[in-house]
Amino acid sequence: MKRIGVCLALATILMATACKHDRQGEAAVGTTRNHVETHSVKLLNQVMDSPTAELRLAGIDSLETAGVITSLRADYLRGDVYYKLDQPRFEEYYYKRALERKVTSDDDLYFRFTAAAALASVYMMKSDYEAALRLGLSIIDEMKQTHQGSDNVMAKLYNSIGSAQISLGREDEADESFERAYDYGQRQAAADTSRGMQESVANDVCNIAIYYLNAHRYKEVPRWLNRVEALTDRYAQLPDADPDYVDDLRGRLLLYRAVVLQHGKSEEEAAQSYSKFLDTKFGKSLDGLFDATDYLIPARRYNEAADNLMLLDSMLVEWGIVLSLDNIRQYMFPKFRANAEAGRKDSAITIGNRILDALDTAIVAQKRSDAAELATIYDTQQKEMEIARQQTQIANKDYQLSHQRNISLLAALILLSVFFVAYIIYRRITMKRLAKAHAQLEATHTELQTAYNQLEETTTAKERIESELRIARDIQMSMVPHEFPQMERLDLYASMTPAREVGGDLYDYLLQGDNLYFCVGDVSGKGVPASLLMAQAIRLFRALAKQQMMPVDIATRMNYDLSENNESYMFVTMFIGLVNLTTGHLYFCNCGHNAPVIGGDADGGHFLEMASNVSIGLWAEAVFVGEEIDSIANRPLFIYTDGLNEAENPELQQFGDDNLLKCLRATRFKSSRQVIDSMNNHVEQHRAGAEPNDDLTMMCLNLKL
């Protein structure tokens, strides 16, 4: 409906112009043309302000058909629409087609050069530096020869050329190109002092500083940052200046200076600049939190970087970013490194697994997107060829009718013959193009079929693996006890909840006369490898406990056996205890595990102070220290894995040690099972629907004497 309305409006204007020309003669032509041009500009503005991309594209088609805009300008506008839709393949297609169109006016020449500058930016986004360089240099030569084009287009072309040159290692040439981009930008800013132009120039210069940062040419960056600062100060003086934009630029300046100073070993000055950056509004925004990692990681402030990136998922949603192959590298890799370097092993493993899952999804999505875009472009080409054929037929009919009264029969026959030959040639060319496009579509179809077959195979394999994992889970859960001693003086209960089908947590107990052996452990990693080590650890614990060995000796023997041939460097943290049921005396050995909580609501529970031992399985020669407590009678002992205190909610905030202690102190002790059920409820409330990020195991023991 929008396209029909546009065509009717244009037809009305053109008819009015024709009638007026007939009535008033040649003297009124200039006035009528100005009137039509004014209405055409208004019409074009209405089309480009349409609420949806579909309406804008339909309006551009109508304006081109009615002759209000040339085909070159129409293709440029289509490319701009797809740029705003973030569809670079279509954007590139229409910008290229605009450059292939015939130039019929100075306006066409302007849009040709503007389309070329936009296409060079597309090439840079694709990392096709050679293409950007060739296009930029050829268009600049053309602009100089024709003496057409604007300083703004020149600045953007030299900006793309410089970024291509610096990416290709041609640094001296890049320096010269960036200087020219800056000079042309300054000339344009002096001629056009509008807010939009000042923002454009400041952005271009800021991008140059970023190019140097990415190329690690830190000595060049301060000069460009000084220029950005001067442009920002000048922009801030405008009466309609945007204060948020000023804060954004000044925040970036402080951050980029911190990065440069850090790489220049001026760490104290870098920290001061970064501290000022944090005081800006930009420094507190999602963009600022993410960009800050450019400084925090080189500064080895990994915990802060990891904290900043806890909200990465929220950032990606707000920015509308889908995890494509490029985005995984740009956004997820820094988060993995920050958590790994900060020693947050479980978070790093979780992120690593997510990266692997995202890579699979991104590869399939990329293939589907490419196939869909190719099919759409093919369909677009088909429609355009049909329109061209219809226009050719209409043009020839008009031509024959207008000249039929004035030419001889022989001339008419010659024209018809020429038309017939041209039509045959055109048809052959068209058929060849159709055959080529059809072949491309067939190839795409074959790729899609292959991808579909692979997806079916993957789905079948996944279902088989899931079935096997469910069996493995049942086997694993059967290895830990689910029945607990029914004794008047002993209250013991434990639970284990794997984050996946199988996990690496474990617990066990063994009664030997008046002695109770018990343990809680956490294997590094998750999934099948962790479950295998978990099974081996339980087997060793039971065998050694039956020999009535002390906890420190059990730890030593387990470490020796699990360290042997441990090429994967997996390990297990464990708390191993032995309590005498008649005296309450506790012997224990803590092997890199979380500190248990002793005591409850009655006497104010607190974390147990222990010696520091390494985890089991790292190296065979490790020495373990055993400890003891005279009596734990009537004092509940709560042991857990880090799936409790590191449980995360949708904002990636952890449950935390302080919250753990607070919840235990607020839980009135009735039974060990009641304590564990209560803690499970607290964790579920904290997660607020988020998937578990780690296995969760808890054991509570209370000896009543």
Side-chain angles (χ1 to χ4, degrees):
M1 295 297 293
K2 181 71 175 179
R3 180 169 181 167
I4 293 172
V6 171
C7 289
L8 289 174
L10 290 170
T12 303
I13 293 172
L14 294 173
M15 289 175 63
T17 303
C19 293
K20 196 167 186 177
H21 176 75
D22 290 342
R23 290 195 304 269
Q24 298 181 4
E26 194 67 30
V29 171
T31 303
T32 302
R33 183 179 295 112
N34 291 337
H35 181 68
V36 172
E37 289 176 355
T38 300
H39 279 276
S40 299
V41 170
K42 290 181 179 179
L43 203 56
L44 178 59
N45 289 337
Q46 290 175 359
V47 166
M48 299 312 292
D49 289 338
S50 298
T52 66
E54 289 77 9
L55 289 176
R56 290 195 291 274
L57 291 170
I60 293 169
D61 291 344
S62 299
L63 293 174
E64 180 186 11
T65 302
V68 176
I69 59 175
T70 64
S71 296
L72 189 154
R73 186 175 184 181
D75 282 335
Y76 165 74
L77 293 173
R78 292 183 184 107
D80 187 61
V81 170
Y82 283 111
Y83 161 73
K84 293 180 174 65
L85 290 174
D86 193 22
Q87 296 186 19
R89 190 183 295 273
F90 283 106
E91 182 187 353
E92 177 183 356
Y93 172 76
Y94 283 110
Y95 286 149
K96 280 184 176 178
R97 209 169 68 162
L99 295 181
E100 294 168 358
R101 297 286 191 184
K102 182 179 179 180
V103 176
T104 59
S105 66
D106 288 345
D107 282 344
D108 268 359
L109 205 56
Y110 170 80
F111 287 107
R112 170 180 170 80
F113 297 150
T114 306
L119 182 57
S121 296
V122 173
Y123 286 148
M124 286 304 303
M125 291 281 292
K126 292 171 55 181
S127 300
D128 191 349
Y129 308 124
E130 293 285 356
L133 193 57
R134 285 195 302 270
L135 175 63
L137 292 173
S138 64
I139 292 297
I140 283 178
D141 287 341
E142 190 175 335
M143 290 174 68
K144 290 179 178 177
Q145 291 173 7
T146 58
H147 302 289
Q148 297 291 333
S150 68
D151 289 333
N152 188 40
V153 172
M154 275 287 199
K156 294 188 180 301
L157 282 169
Y158 272 119
N159 199 310
S160 294
I161 290 170
S163 60
Q165 288 168 334
I166 203 169
S167 299
L168 293 170
R170 298 160 64 171
E171 297 180 349
D172 292 340
E173 296 176 35
D175 294 341
E176 183 178 348
S177 296
F178 285 141
E179 284 296 334
R180 291 183 179 179
Y182 177 73
D183 291 341
Y184 278 111
Q186 291 301 291
R187 286 168 51 178
Q188 185 68 36
D192 182 356
T193 58
S194 67
R195 167 182 159 180
M197 180 53 63
Q198 301 302 313
E199 289 180 0
S200 175
V201 172
N203 279 337
D204 287 346
V205 178
C206 189
N207 285 336
I208 292 173
I210 294 172
Y211 290 138
Y212 278 115
L213 278 173
N214 292 338
H216 305 299
R217 295 187 61 192
Y218 301 111
K219 291 183 180 179
E220 303 292 336
V221 178
R223 179 162 58 96
W224 290 97
L225 294 181
N226 291 338
R227 289 175 169 179
V228 176
E229 186 172 17
L231 291 169
T232 304
D233 291 340
R234 187 169 70 188
Y235 171 82
Q237 300 302 315
L238 295 177
D240 59 343
D242 182 358
D244 289 335
Y245 180 74
V246 173
D247 179 87
D248 183 284
L249 279 180
R250 287 180 173 160
R252 291 181 186 277
L253 283 168
L254 290 166
L255 177 60
Y256 297 156
R257 291 192 193 280
V259 174
V260 173
L261 290 166
Q262 180 64 35
H263 284 281
K265 307 303 180 184
S266 301
E267 298 185 359
E268 184 175 346
E269 295 178 51
Q272 292 174 356
S273 184
Y274 179 73
S275 178
K276 293 178 181 178
F277 156 77
L278 293 177
D279 291 334
T280 65
K281 187 176 180 180
F282 173 70
K284 300 177 178 64
S285 68
L286 290 179
D287 287 31
L289 289 173
F290 179 78
D291 288 351
T293 57
D294 291 340
Y295 162 75
L296 293 172
I297 291 179
R300 299 177 298 282
R301 294 165 67 168
Y302 301 117
N303 277 305
E304 293 176 64
D307 290 342
N308 280 13
L309 294 173
M310 286 178 66
L311 297 176
L312 181 59
D313 289 341
S314 301
M315 298 177 190
L316 297 178
V317 171
E318 181 166 319
W319 297 333
I321 292 175
V322 178
L323 285 179
S324 63
L325 295 176
D326 288 338
N327 290 336
I328 290 170
R329 176 181 56 81
Q330 182 176 356
Y331 296 105
M332 298 302 295
F333 282 14
K335 182 173 182 178
F336 174 80
R337 182 183 175 188
N339 280 274
E341 296 287 359
R344 303 181 183 182
K345 61 180 180 68
D346 287 330
S347 296
I349 292 171
T350 299
I351 297 163
N353 287 327
R354 187 179 173 199
I355 289 173
L356 293 176
D357 293 340
L359 283 172
D360 288 339
T361 303
I363 290 169
V364 173
Q366 183 71 35
K367 288 182 179 179
R368 290 178 178 172
S369 175
D370 289 347
E373 288 191 11
L374 285 172
T376 306
I377 290 174
Y378 169 73
D379 184 56
T380 302
Q381 290 172 336
Q382 289 278 73
K383 291 178 181 178
E384 289 169 351
M385 285 190 287
E386 178 62 23
I387 292 171
R389 187 183 67 79
Q390 293 174 359
Q391 289 176 340
T392 301
Q393 290 177 344
I394 293 170
N396 278 299
K397 288 180 181 178
D398 291 343
Y399 181 79
Q400 291 169 13
L401 289 173
S402 63
H403 290 80
Q404 205 168 29
R405 293 186 300 268
N406 302 319
I407 61 176
S408 64
L409 179 60
L410 180 60
L413 291 173
I414 293 173
L415 285 173
L416 287 172
S417 300
V418 171
F419 170 74
F420 183 74
V421 173
Y423 176 78
I424 292 174
I425 294 172
Y426 173 79
R427 185 176 177 81
R428 287 180 179 176
I429 293 173
T430 302
M431 292 303 294
K432 288 181 180 179
R433 290 178 178 173
L434 283 172
K436 183 177 180 180
H438 180 72
Q440 291 176 343
L441 189 59
E442 284 290 332
T444 302
H445 175 74
T446 301
E447 292 179 0
L448 285 172
Q449 186 62 47
T450 301
Y452 178 79
N453 293 337
Q454 291 175 347
L455 181 60
E456 279 193 327
E457 294 173 1
T458 302
T459 302
T460 302
K462 183 180 179 182
E463 289 174 351
R464 183 176 65 254
I465 291 170
E466 287 175 348
S467 176
E468 293 173 354
L469 286 175
R470 282 193 294 270
I471 296 172
R473 178 191 178 98
D474 293 338
I475 294 172
Q476 183 185 27
M477 293 302 291
S478 69
M479 297 181 67
V480 297
H482 297 283
E483 298 293 332
F484 299 95
Q486 301 297 317
M487 302 173 64
E488 183 177 352
R489 56 182 174 173
L490 176 61
D491 183 5
L492 173 66
Y493 187 81
S495 72
M496 181 175 74
T497 307
R500 299 182 182 176
E501 285 79 4
V502 292
D505 277 7
L506 62 99
Y507 71 86
D508 201 3
Y509 76 88
L510 184 68
L511 275 170
Q512 294 283 83
D514 288 334
N515 291 325
L516 172 69
Y517 286 86
F518 62 93
C519 70
V520 173
D522 183 4
V523 177
S524 61
K526 301 179 189 69
V528 174
S531 69
L532 294 175
L533 186 56
M534 168 265 195
Q536 195 173 3
I538 285 183
R539 178 184 60 82
L540 287 170
F541 168 79
R542 288 178 181 172
L544 297 172
K546 287 179 180 179
Q547 298 178 34
Q548 299 185 4
M549 299 175 66
M550 296 297 289
V552 65
D553 298 323
I554 293 175
T556 303
R557 283 288 302 277
M558 287 183 67
N559 179 67
Y560 181 84
D561 288 346
L562 295 179
S563 298
E564 188 176 8
N565 299 323
N566 185 10
E567 296 179 356
S568 61
Y569 297 102
M570 295 185 69
F571 58 88
V572 55
T573 68
M574 286 189 75
F575 182 91
I576 305 172
L578 166 61
V579 62
N580 185 282
L581 301 182
T582 59
T583 66
H585 194 95
L586 173 68
Y587 296 93
F588 67 91
C589 181
N590 186 65
C591 309
H593 200 74
N594 301 80
V597 177
I598 189 166
D601 59 302
D603 57 354
H606 61 275
F607 290 110
L608 189 62
E609 295 184 3
M610 303 173 297
S612 176
N613 288 317
V614 300
S615 301
I616 293 174
L618 288 175
W619 55 85
E621 299 80 12
V623 177
F624 293 85
V625 177
E627 299 175 81
E628 57 186 295
I629 297 176
D630 289 337
S631 178
I632 62 168
N634 305 312
R635 300 168 65 196
L637 182 64
F638 180 80
I639 316 164
Y640 58 94
T641 61
D642 57 10
L644 174 59
N645 58 327
E646 293 182 7
E648 294 178 344
N649 62 14
E651 287 74 38
L652 301 184
Q653 296 171 334
Q654 295 187 345
F655 190 73
D657 291 336
D658 292 340
N659 194 28
L660 185 157
L661 207 56
K662 177 182 176 183
C663 292
L664 280 175
R665 288 172 175 172
T667 301
R668 186 170 298 280
F669 190 95
K670 295 181 181 178
S671 69
S672 293
R673 179 164 188 168
Q674 171 256 338
V675 170
I676 289 178
D677 289 342
S678 174
M679 292 304 296
N680 268 319
N681 291 335
H682 285 301
V683 171
E684 288 301 320
Q685 290 174 8
H686 173 76
R687 285 202 185 107
E691 290 294 324
N693 59 299
D694 199 358
D695 307 328
L696 171 58
T697 299
M698 294 178 283
M699 174 182 283
C700 186
L701 183 154
N702 189 26
L703 185 61
K704 305 171 185 177
L705 294 180

